Amino acid sequence: MKNLNLSEDQAVYEAALAFIDAYFNDTTDAPARSVAPDETIAYFANQTFSKEGRSVDAVVQELLTDVYPHILKQDHTRAFGFIPGPASKLSWLGDVMTQAFNVHASNWINSSSASTIEENVIQWLAQQIGFTGKAGGVFVSGGSMANLTGVIAGRDKILSEDNRHLGVVYLSDQTHHSVEKALYIIGYTRKQLRFVPTNNAFQMDVHQLQTMIEQDLSNGLVPTTIIASAGTTNTGTVDPLHGIADIAASYGIWLHVDGAYGASFLLSTTQRHHLAGIERADSVSWDAHKLLFQTYSCAMIIVKDKQDLLNSFSATPEYLQDIDGGSVDFSSLGIELTRPARALKLWLTLQVLGTDEFSRRVDYGQTLAELGELTLSTMENWEIVSHAHFAIINFRYNHPNYSKEENDALNASIAKSIVDSGFAGVFTTELKSKTVVRMCSTNPATSDHDIISTLNRLNTYAQEYVAAHSA
Ligand SMILES: *Cc1c(COP(=O)(O)O)cnc(C)c1O
């Protein structure tokens, strides 16, 4: 039989070179967000695949003109929505190269150096947490997968197959929804979840946590896992980790810390102290595609005792103890078998920038948030609803003559106006049942002017809103 004549490589090479040249020399001032026009959406929605195919150039051009420009630009200097993704070009390089080799990162047999690097990076991150000795972990696609992996390990450690239906998990009303989703995925029912209220600083109320645990114990239930947030997505606040860890220790409950966003502040010199106590967790989620400046998708689940992951995820835990000179079979530490080598791009970024520069970049986000807070304090009618915590501020325009609902509508409207204008990605969230404007400023390329001009625009939109509604 004759080989198929596979002729695409040369065309891909040329397209790749042209792309890199155009991408790195692009000087257009892209909006923070763009939505594709209706015709474009209709075109893609109705598109089919031809029998004879098309040229690489034509298809690449379609992506460049009609797909990539119409995004919420996560690395825009005024992208303040959700948790932005200001990925470093170094991560991009590591990603592109790793994908070029299509590295299969399930185990040492497939990728000896890459597996060793993954283990080495995990151990370094574990040290940042303060885990020692037996710690381990695995790279996963994101915080959602990290949380899922963590709550499985917690369930399996505390519950037996016979009493799974009695397990109870404690979260706060600020816990990221991915945790609740993970708990339902693995079979918990709504009746097995306890939403612990938060205090005025949006932190889990430790006293109420303990009351709920006592109540559940007296009802014959089995307190299984506490989810502490180390940097909530809404406000960046950290739950009282020592207080929660004391309770977890005294009742023998698994402590999972969701640090998907906030764990990166372990690398900060000015913010690290807020994470004191994280070393007492059993498992920690940590997103690298948020504040470690990685491209999607890149996150880690790290546990205090690697054996706990092996117990949950290894088909044959006893045989999978470090084979081949201390190497690890990552498919025995988590859910995935075939995986991209997500650790390599983070390793490359850390190797090139060095840890001091990482610290500076992480710290910088908080400095920007503090500038935002200061700027708002000089402007009339603006209330700081949540102070600058881990580079996040929440604030609200309160017109003195408006009802709460009218001010809710005003704040929703001004955020929508600034997003629709393409100037900045700024969205609202709800805190203590009020609509508030939220800014997360994690991009090292964001300037003071980006912060101040965004706030000035919001202020102008607020005044225009009031003028339009007083007619
Ligand atoms: C972003 C986030 C998640 C979810 O992470 P993904 O990477 O989007 O799956 C979970 N928890 C917290 C606190 C987050 O900020």
Short mmCIF file of all heavy atoms in Angstrom, two decimals, residues 83 128-129 143 147 176 228-239 241 257-268 271-276 278 284-292 300 362-363 389-392 438 440 442:
data_model
loop_
_atom_site.label_atom_id
_atom_site.label_comp_id
_atom_site.label_asym_id
_atom_site.label_seq_id
_atom_site.Cartn_x
_atom_site.Cartn_y
_atom_site.Cartn_z
N ILE A 83 -12.08 36.88 36.62
CA ILE A 83 -10.64 36.90 36.91
C ILE A 83 -9.96 36.96 35.55
O ILE A 83 -10.05 36.01 34.77
CB ILE A 83 -10.19 35.62 37.64
CG1 ILE A 83 -11.04 35.34 38.89
CG2 ILE A 83 -8.69 35.70 37.95
CD1 ILE A 83 -10.75 36.19 40.10
N GLN A 128 5.75 26.31 48.61
CA GLN A 128 5.19 27.66 48.78
C GLN A 128 4.00 27.61 49.72
O GLN A 128 3.78 28.50 50.53
CB GLN A 128 4.77 28.29 47.45
CG GLN A 128 5.86 28.31 46.37
CD GLN A 128 7.16 28.89 46.88
OE1 GLN A 128 7.19 29.99 47.44
NE2 GLN A 128 8.25 28.15 46.69
N ILE A 129 3.21 26.54 49.59
CA ILE A 129 2.05 26.37 50.48
C ILE A 129 2.53 26.13 51.92
O ILE A 129 1.88 26.55 52.88
CB ILE A 129 1.17 25.20 49.99
CG1 ILE A 129 0.53 25.53 48.63
CG2 ILE A 129 0.08 24.85 51.01
CD1 ILE A 129 -0.14 24.34 47.96
N GLY A 143 -9.38 25.38 37.89
CA GLY A 143 -9.80 25.32 39.28
C GLY A 143 -10.99 24.39 39.48
O GLY A 143 -11.10 23.73 40.52
N ASN A 147 -10.82 21.49 42.12
CA ASN A 147 -11.79 21.34 43.21
C ASN A 147 -12.45 19.97 43.17
O ASN A 147 -12.63 19.33 44.21
CB ASN A 147 -12.86 22.44 43.12
CG ASN A 147 -12.32 23.79 43.59
OD1 ASN A 147 -11.39 23.85 44.39
ND2 ASN A 147 -12.90 24.87 43.09
N HIS A 176 -16.90 29.47 45.43
CA HIS A 176 -17.08 29.44 43.97
C HIS A 176 -18.03 28.30 43.59
O HIS A 176 -17.96 27.21 44.15
CB HIS A 176 -15.71 29.21 43.31
CG HIS A 176 -15.72 29.46 41.83
ND1 HIS A 176 -16.01 28.48 40.91
CD2 HIS A 176 -15.49 30.59 41.11
CE1 HIS A 176 -15.93 28.98 39.69
NE2 HIS A 176 -15.61 30.26 39.79
N ALA A 228 -12.63 25.88 52.45
CA ALA A 228 -12.27 27.26 52.78
C ALA A 228 -11.84 27.94 51.50
O ALA A 228 -11.19 27.33 50.65
CB ALA A 228 -11.13 27.28 53.80
N SER A 229 -12.22 29.20 51.33
CA SER A 229 -11.79 29.95 50.15
C SER A 229 -10.61 30.83 50.53
O SER A 229 -10.66 31.57 51.50
CB SER A 229 -12.93 30.84 49.63
OG SER A 229 -14.03 30.03 49.27
N ALA A 230 -9.55 30.71 49.74
CA ALA A 230 -8.38 31.56 49.97
C ALA A 230 -8.30 32.51 48.78
O ALA A 230 -7.62 32.24 47.79
CB ALA A 230 -7.12 30.73 50.12
N GLY A 231 -9.06 33.57 48.92
CA GLY A 231 -9.26 34.50 47.83
C GLY A 231 -10.56 34.16 47.12
O GLY A 231 -10.56 33.39 46.17
N THR A 232 -11.68 34.69 47.64
CA THR A 232 -12.95 34.44 46.94
C THR A 232 -12.93 35.19 45.61
O THR A 232 -12.29 36.23 45.48
CB THR A 232 -14.17 34.90 47.76
OG1 THR A 232 -14.10 36.31 47.92
CG2 THR A 232 -14.22 34.22 49.13
N THR A 233 -13.68 34.64 44.68
CA THR A 233 -13.71 35.26 43.35
C THR A 233 -14.39 36.63 43.41
O THR A 233 -13.97 37.57 42.74
CB THR A 233 -14.47 34.34 42.38
OG1 THR A 233 -13.99 33.01 42.58
CG2 THR A 233 -14.23 34.74 40.94
N ASN A 234 -15.39 36.76 44.24
CA ASN A 234 -16.09 38.04 44.34
C ASN A 234 -15.24 39.14 44.93
O ASN A 234 -15.15 40.23 44.37
CB ASN A 234 -17.33 37.88 45.25
CG ASN A 234 -18.59 37.62 44.45
OD1 ASN A 234 -18.63 37.84 43.24
ND2 ASN A 234 -19.62 37.16 45.12
N THR A 235 -14.65 38.89 46.08
CA THR A 235 -14.02 39.98 46.84
C THR A 235 -12.54 39.77 47.13
O THR A 235 -11.90 40.66 47.67
CB THR A 235 -14.73 40.19 48.19
OG1 THR A 235 -14.55 39.01 48.98
CG2 THR A 235 -16.21 40.46 48.02
N GLY A 236 -12.00 38.61 46.82
CA GLY A 236 -10.58 38.35 47.09
C GLY A 236 -10.28 38.10 48.55
O GLY A 236 -9.12 37.97 48.93
N THR A 237 -11.30 38.02 49.39
CA THR A 237 -11.04 37.82 50.82
C THR A 237 -10.73 36.35 51.12
O THR A 237 -11.14 35.45 50.40
CB THR A 237 -12.22 38.28 51.70
OG1 THR A 237 -13.42 37.88 51.07
CG2 THR A 237 -12.21 39.76 51.91
N VAL A 238 -10.00 36.16 52.20
CA VAL A 238 -9.57 34.82 52.60
C VAL A 238 -10.34 34.43 53.86
O VAL A 238 -10.44 35.21 54.79
CB VAL A 238 -8.04 34.82 52.88
CG1 VAL A 238 -7.57 33.43 53.31
CG2 VAL A 238 -7.26 35.29 51.65
N ASP A 239 -10.88 33.23 53.86
CA ASP A 239 -11.56 32.74 55.06
C ASP A 239 -10.55 32.61 56.20
O ASP A 239 -9.35 32.46 55.96
CB ASP A 239 -12.20 31.38 54.78
CG ASP A 239 -13.49 31.50 53.96
OD1 ASP A 239 -14.12 32.57 54.01
OD2 ASP A 239 -13.84 30.53 53.26
N LEU A 241 -8.34 30.96 57.99
CA LEU A 241 -7.80 29.61 57.74
C LEU A 241 -7.42 28.90 59.03
O LEU A 241 -7.67 27.71 59.19
CB LEU A 241 -6.61 29.70 56.79
CG LEU A 241 -6.95 30.21 55.37
CD1 LEU A 241 -5.68 30.32 54.53
CD2 LEU A 241 -7.96 29.30 54.68
N VAL A 257 -8.79 23.76 50.59
CA VAL A 257 -8.71 25.21 50.40
C VAL A 257 -8.80 25.51 48.91
O VAL A 257 -7.98 25.03 48.12
CB VAL A 257 -7.41 25.79 50.99
CG1 VAL A 257 -7.24 27.25 50.59
CG2 VAL A 257 -7.42 25.66 52.52
N ASP A 258 -9.83 26.26 48.53
CA ASP A 258 -9.95 26.69 47.14
C ASP A 258 -9.11 27.95 46.97
O ASP A 258 -9.56 29.06 47.27
CB ASP A 258 -11.41 26.94 46.77
CG ASP A 258 -11.55 27.34 45.30
OD1 ASP A 258 -10.50 27.47 44.62
OD2 ASP A 258 -12.69 27.52 44.84
N GLY A 259 -7.89 27.74 46.50
CA GLY A 259 -7.00 28.87 46.22
C GLY A 259 -6.86 29.09 44.72
O GLY A 259 -5.85 29.62 44.28
N ALA A 260 -7.88 28.69 43.98
CA ALA A 260 -7.79 28.80 42.51
C ALA A 260 -7.32 30.19 42.13
O ALA A 260 -6.39 30.36 41.34
CB ALA A 260 -9.14 28.49 41.87
N TYR A 261 -7.95 31.18 42.75
CA TYR A 261 -7.50 32.55 42.48
C TYR A 261 -6.36 32.96 43.41
O TYR A 261 -5.29 33.39 42.97
CB TYR A 261 -8.67 33.53 42.61
CG TYR A 261 -8.22 34.96 42.49
CD1 TYR A 261 -7.56 35.40 41.34
CD2 TYR A 261 -8.42 35.87 43.53
CE1 TYR A 261 -7.10 36.70 41.23
CE2 TYR A 261 -7.98 37.17 43.42
CZ TYR A 261 -7.32 37.58 42.27
OH TYR A 261 -6.86 38.86 42.16
N GLY A 262 -6.58 32.80 44.72
CA GLY A 262 -5.72 33.48 45.69
C GLY A 262 -4.40 32.82 46.02
O GLY A 262 -3.50 33.48 46.54
N ALA A 263 -4.25 31.52 45.73
CA ALA A 263 -3.01 30.85 46.15
C ALA A 263 -1.78 31.51 45.51
O ALA A 263 -0.69 31.47 46.08
CB ALA A 263 -3.06 29.36 45.80
N SER A 264 -1.96 32.15 44.37
CA SER A 264 -0.81 32.81 43.73
C SER A 264 -0.21 33.90 44.61
O SER A 264 0.96 34.27 44.45
CB SER A 264 -1.22 33.40 42.38
OG SER A 264 -1.56 32.36 41.49
N PHE A 265 -1.01 34.41 45.56
CA PHE A 265 -0.48 35.44 46.46
C PHE A 265 0.51 34.86 47.47
O PHE A 265 1.13 35.61 48.23
CB PHE A 265 -1.62 36.21 47.13
CG PHE A 265 -2.28 37.17 46.18
CD1 PHE A 265 -3.37 36.77 45.42
CD2 PHE A 265 -1.78 38.44 45.99
CE1 PHE A 265 -3.96 37.63 44.50
CE2 PHE A 265 -2.36 39.32 45.08
CZ PHE A 265 -3.45 38.91 44.34
N LEU A 266 0.69 33.53 47.45
CA LEU A 266 1.79 32.94 48.21
C LEU A 266 3.13 33.46 47.69
O LEU A 266 4.13 33.47 48.40
CB LEU A 266 1.76 31.41 48.10
CG LEU A 266 0.65 30.71 48.90
CD1 LEU A 266 0.48 29.28 48.42
CD2 LEU A 266 0.96 30.75 50.39
N LEU A 267 3.16 33.87 46.43
CA LEU A 267 4.40 34.39 45.84
C LEU A 267 4.56 35.89 46.08
O LEU A 267 5.59 36.46 45.74
CB LEU A 267 4.43 34.11 44.33
CG LEU A 267 4.22 32.66 43.91
CD1 LEU A 267 4.46 32.52 42.41
CD2 LEU A 267 5.14 31.72 44.67
N SER A 268 3.53 36.52 46.66
CA SER A 268 3.59 37.95 46.90
C SER A 268 4.36 38.23 48.18
O SER A 268 4.28 37.47 49.15
CB SER A 268 2.16 38.49 47.01
OG SER A 268 2.14 39.65 47.81
N GLN A 271 1.35 40.35 50.34
CA GLN A 271 0.03 39.76 50.61
C GLN A 271 0.09 38.36 51.21
O GLN A 271 -0.91 37.82 51.66
CB GLN A 271 -0.78 39.68 49.29
CG GLN A 271 -0.96 41.00 48.60
CD GLN A 271 -1.64 42.00 49.51
OE1 GLN A 271 -2.74 41.75 50.01
NE2 GLN A 271 -0.98 43.12 49.77
N ARG A 272 1.27 37.75 51.19
CA ARG A 272 1.40 36.36 51.58
C ARG A 272 0.84 36.07 52.97
O ARG A 272 0.26 35.01 53.21
CB ARG A 272 2.90 36.00 51.54
CG ARG A 272 3.20 34.55 51.62
CD ARG A 272 4.66 34.25 51.83
NE ARG A 272 4.71 33.00 52.57
CZ ARG A 272 4.63 31.79 52.01
NH1 ARG A 272 4.58 31.69 50.71
NH2 ARG A 272 4.61 30.71 52.73
N HIS A 273 1.00 37.05 53.87
CA HIS A 273 0.58 36.80 55.26
C HIS A 273 -0.91 36.51 55.38
O HIS A 273 -1.34 35.86 56.32
CB HIS A 273 0.99 37.98 56.16
CG HIS A 273 0.29 39.26 55.81
ND1 HIS A 273 0.69 40.07 54.77
CD2 HIS A 273 -0.80 39.85 56.34
CE1 HIS A 273 -0.11 41.13 54.71
NE2 HIS A 273 -1.03 41.01 55.64
N HIS A 274 -1.71 36.98 54.42
CA HIS A 274 -3.15 36.69 54.48
C HIS A 274 -3.44 35.20 54.32
O HIS A 274 -4.54 34.74 54.63
CB HIS A 274 -3.90 37.44 53.37
CG HIS A 274 -3.89 38.93 53.54
ND1 HIS A 274 -4.46 39.56 54.62
CD2 HIS A 274 -3.38 39.92 52.76
CE1 HIS A 274 -4.31 40.87 54.50
NE2 HIS A 274 -3.65 41.12 53.39
N LEU A 275 -2.47 34.45 53.81
CA LEU A 275 -2.68 33.02 53.55
C LEU A 275 -2.14 32.14 54.68
O LEU A 275 -2.11 30.91 54.54
CB LEU A 275 -2.04 32.64 52.21
CG LEU A 275 -2.74 33.29 51.00
CD1 LEU A 275 -1.87 33.22 49.76
CD2 LEU A 275 -4.09 32.64 50.74
N ALA A 276 -1.73 32.76 55.77
CA ALA A 276 -1.21 31.98 56.89
C ALA A 276 -2.25 30.95 57.32
O ALA A 276 -3.44 31.27 57.46
CB ALA A 276 -0.87 32.90 58.06
N ILE A 278 -2.76 28.17 55.45
CA ILE A 278 -3.07 27.35 54.27
C ILE A 278 -2.29 26.03 54.33
O ILE A 278 -2.74 25.01 53.80
CB ILE A 278 -2.77 28.13 52.95
CG1 ILE A 278 -3.41 27.41 51.74
CG2 ILE A 278 -1.28 28.34 52.74
CD1 ILE A 278 -3.35 28.20 50.45
N VAL A 284 -5.28 21.68 48.24
CA VAL A 284 -5.33 23.07 47.80
C VAL A 284 -5.48 23.11 46.29
O VAL A 284 -4.75 22.44 45.56
CB VAL A 284 -4.02 23.83 48.19
CG1 VAL A 284 -4.03 25.25 47.62
CG2 VAL A 284 -3.84 23.87 49.71
N SER A 285 -6.45 23.91 45.81
CA SER A 285 -6.59 24.18 44.38
C SER A 285 -5.87 25.48 44.05
O SER A 285 -5.94 26.44 44.81
CB SER A 285 -8.08 24.37 44.00
OG SER A 285 -8.80 23.22 44.26
N TRP A 286 -5.23 25.50 42.89
CA TRP A 286 -4.43 26.67 42.53
C TRP A 286 -4.45 26.80 41.01
O TRP A 286 -4.00 25.89 40.31
CB TRP A 286 -3.01 26.45 43.06
CG TRP A 286 -2.05 27.61 42.96
CD1 TRP A 286 -2.15 28.72 42.17
CD2 TRP A 286 -0.82 27.74 43.68
NE1 TRP A 286 -1.07 29.54 42.36
CE2 TRP A 286 -0.23 28.96 43.28
CE3 TRP A 286 -0.14 26.95 44.61
CZ2 TRP A 286 0.99 29.40 43.77
CZ3 TRP A 286 1.08 27.39 45.11
CH2 TRP A 286 1.64 28.60 44.70
N ASP A 287 -4.96 27.91 40.51
CA ASP A 287 -5.00 28.15 39.06
C ASP A 287 -3.75 28.86 38.61
O ASP A 287 -3.44 29.94 39.12
CB ASP A 287 -6.19 29.06 38.70
CG ASP A 287 -7.42 28.29 38.28
OD1 ASP A 287 -7.34 27.06 38.10
OD2 ASP A 287 -8.48 28.93 38.12
N ALA A 288 -3.06 28.29 37.64
CA ALA A 288 -1.92 29.01 37.05
C ALA A 288 -2.37 29.90 35.90
O ALA A 288 -1.67 30.83 35.53
CB ALA A 288 -0.85 28.02 36.59
N HIS A 289 -3.55 29.62 35.34
CA HIS A 289 -4.01 30.47 34.22
C HIS A 289 -4.72 31.74 34.70
O HIS A 289 -5.28 32.48 33.91
CB HIS A 289 -4.85 29.69 33.21
CG HIS A 289 -6.11 29.07 33.75
ND1 HIS A 289 -6.60 27.89 33.23
CD2 HIS A 289 -6.97 29.44 34.72
CE1 HIS A 289 -7.73 27.58 33.88
NE2 HIS A 289 -7.96 28.50 34.78
N LYS A 290 -4.69 31.97 36.00
CA LYS A 290 -5.15 33.26 36.50
C LYS A 290 -3.91 34.09 36.84
O LYS A 290 -3.37 34.74 35.97
CB LYS A 290 -6.08 33.07 37.70
CG LYS A 290 -7.46 32.57 37.26
CD LYS A 290 -8.37 32.28 38.41
CE LYS A 290 -9.75 31.84 37.89
NZ LYS A 290 -10.53 31.18 38.96
N LEU A 291 -3.42 33.98 38.08
CA LEU A 291 -2.37 34.91 38.50
C LEU A 291 -0.95 34.34 38.44
O LEU A 291 -0.03 34.93 38.99
CB LEU A 291 -2.70 35.44 39.89
CG LEU A 291 -2.20 36.85 40.22
CD1 LEU A 291 -2.29 37.80 39.06
CD2 LEU A 291 -2.88 37.37 41.42
N LEU A 292 -0.77 33.21 37.75
CA LEU A 292 0.61 32.81 37.43
C LEU A 292 0.86 33.05 35.94
O LEU A 292 1.82 32.53 35.38
CB LEU A 292 0.89 31.36 37.83
CG LEU A 292 0.84 31.06 39.34
CD1 LEU A 292 1.16 29.59 39.62
CD2 LEU A 292 1.80 31.96 40.12
N MET A 300 -3.46 23.47 39.25
CA MET A 300 -2.89 22.37 40.02
C MET A 300 -3.81 22.01 41.19
O MET A 300 -4.46 22.87 41.76
CB MET A 300 -1.53 22.77 40.64
CG MET A 300 -0.43 23.08 39.65
SD MET A 300 -0.59 24.67 38.79
CE MET A 300 -0.49 25.86 40.11
N VAL A 362 2.76 39.77 40.93
CA VAL A 362 1.59 39.46 41.75
C VAL A 362 1.27 40.64 42.66
O VAL A 362 0.12 41.06 42.79
CB VAL A 362 1.83 38.16 42.55
CG1 VAL A 362 0.69 37.92 43.54
CG2 VAL A 362 1.97 36.96 41.61
N ASP A 363 2.30 41.21 43.28
CA ASP A 363 2.10 42.38 44.16
C ASP A 363 1.45 43.55 43.42
O ASP A 363 0.66 44.29 43.98
CB ASP A 363 3.46 42.88 44.70
CG ASP A 363 4.01 42.01 45.81
OD1 ASP A 363 3.22 41.26 46.40
OD2 ASP A 363 5.22 42.10 46.08
N HIS A 389 -8.67 43.69 48.24
CA HIS A 389 -8.14 42.42 48.75
C HIS A 389 -7.66 41.63 47.56
O HIS A 389 -8.45 41.36 46.64
CB HIS A 389 -9.24 41.58 49.41
CG HIS A 389 -9.77 42.12 50.68
ND1 HIS A 389 -9.00 42.28 51.81
CD2 HIS A 389 -11.01 42.54 51.01
CE1 HIS A 389 -9.76 42.78 52.78
NE2 HIS A 389 -10.97 42.95 52.32
N PHE A 390 -6.42 41.21 47.57
CA PHE A 390 -5.91 40.38 46.49
C PHE A 390 -6.30 40.96 45.11
O PHE A 390 -6.84 40.26 44.26
CB PHE A 390 -6.42 38.95 46.62
CG PHE A 390 -5.72 38.12 47.67
CD1 PHE A 390 -4.79 38.68 48.53
CD2 PHE A 390 -5.98 36.76 47.79
CE1 PHE A 390 -4.13 37.91 49.49
CE2 PHE A 390 -5.32 35.98 48.75
CZ PHE A 390 -4.39 36.56 49.59
N ALA A 391 -6.07 42.24 44.93
CA ALA A 391 -6.25 42.89 43.63
C ALA A 391 -7.71 43.04 43.19
O ALA A 391 -7.99 43.29 42.02
CB ALA A 391 -5.44 42.18 42.54
N ILE A 392 -8.65 42.89 44.14
CA ILE A 392 -10.08 43.02 43.78
C ILE A 392 -10.72 44.12 44.63
O ILE A 392 -10.52 44.17 45.85
CB ILE A 392 -10.83 41.69 44.01
CG1 ILE A 392 -10.27 40.59 43.10
CG2 ILE A 392 -12.33 41.88 43.77
CD1 ILE A 392 -10.86 39.21 43.34
N ARG A 438 -17.44 45.57 40.14
CA ARG A 438 -16.29 44.82 40.62
C ARG A 438 -15.13 44.97 39.64
O ARG A 438 -15.33 44.90 38.43
CB ARG A 438 -16.68 43.35 40.74
CG ARG A 438 -15.58 42.42 41.18
CD ARG A 438 -16.09 40.99 41.26
NE ARG A 438 -14.99 40.06 41.37
CZ ARG A 438 -14.20 39.71 40.37
NH1 ARG A 438 -14.40 40.20 39.18
NH2 ARG A 438 -13.20 38.88 40.58
N CYS A 440 -11.14 43.52 39.03
CA CYS A 440 -10.02 42.65 39.41
C CYS A 440 -8.84 43.07 38.53
O CYS A 440 -8.90 42.92 37.30
CB CYS A 440 -10.41 41.19 39.17
SG CYS A 440 -9.09 40.02 39.52
N THR A 442 -5.31 42.42 37.67
CA THR A 442 -4.16 41.52 37.82
C THR A 442 -3.16 41.60 36.67
O THR A 442 -2.22 40.81 36.63
CB THR A 442 -4.64 40.06 37.92
OG1 THR A 442 -5.49 39.79 36.81
CG2 THR A 442 -5.39 39.82 39.21
#
